[in-house]
Amino acid sequence: MMQYVPAVLVLLVIGFRYFSLWCINSVSSCYGTWIHQIALDITKPLYYFALYILPITIILIFVPREIFKSWLRFAVWALPLAFLYIATTPVSWSGIGLNFSSFYRDDAARLMGGVFTVISAILVIYKFIAARFLGRSDSPKAVNV
């Protein structure tokens, strides 16, 4: 049951992006609210990040519990680092002065989503091969003396 949580969270983020776009464009009372204020700063980069990690979260539903726990140990420290990197990247060019960077928050979200997905896929494949073919396991076995 716990393995469904990442996929559900990712789908909720994707759904919130579509809801916020609908609300801003269709409902006049949404314009100027907190939904409209966070659209470019938070919602759009989070949406891109969620799109990139959606495949790995769906794959995690079908992997054994030990592999999921290994991925979860990786995600506990990798996700905060990814979000910190995304949050410290500028949202867009302010229009003042020279534009020294064409790399903005949406790009950082796509980059971190791709990096997180690739590393997650490598980890899942490695743990699957190690458990399935090499007979290794992360949990220690009792040794008969």
Side-chain angles (χ1 to χ4, degrees):
M1 184 66 172
M2 189 169 101
Q3 291 175 228
Y4 288 97
V5 172
V8 169
L9 290 175
V10 165
L11 290 173
L12 284 173
V13 167
I14 292 170
F16 181 72
R17 171 68 177 162
Y18 285 112
F19 168 76
S20 65
L21 285 176
W22 168 81
C23 184
I24 292 168
N25 293 330
S26 300
V27 181
S28 61
S29 62
C30 284
Y31 187 79
T33 62
W34 66 273
I35 291 177
H36 184 244
Q37 293 171 358
I38 67 168
L40 287 177
D41 297 345
I42 298 170
T43 309
K44 192 174 177 185
L46 195 58
Y47 168 76
Y48 286 134
F49 186 82
L51 278 182
Y52 275 78
I53 68 169
L54 179 63
I56 197 70
T57 60
I58 292 172
I59 290 169
L60 286 170
I61 294 172
F62 302 106
V63 299
R65 177 75 115 202
E66 296 80 28
I67 295 174
F68 177 76
K69 287 181 181 178
S70 296
W71 174 84
L72 195 58
R73 284 191 298 269
F74 162 70
V76 162
W77 63 267
L79 283 176
L81 288 176
F83 290 148
L84 182 66
Y85 177 72
I86 293 168
T88 58
T89 307
V91 175
S92 63
W93 184 44
S94 63
I96 301 171
L98 297 174
N99 186 9
F100 293 111
S101 174
S102 61
F103 190 77
Y104 300 116
R105 191 169 287 174
D106 295 346
D107 303 321
R110 286 188 212 102
L111 175 67
M112 286 294 104
V115 168
F116 183 80
T117 300
V118 167
I119 293 173
S120 294
I122 291 170
L123 177 71
V124 167
I125 291 168
Y126 171 75
K127 291 291 185 177
F128 181 77
I129 290 173
R132 185 77 165 193
F133 298 111
L134 302 177
R136 284 182 33 197
S137 177
D138 288 343
S139 61
K141 303 261 185 204
V143 178
N144 293 332
V145 180

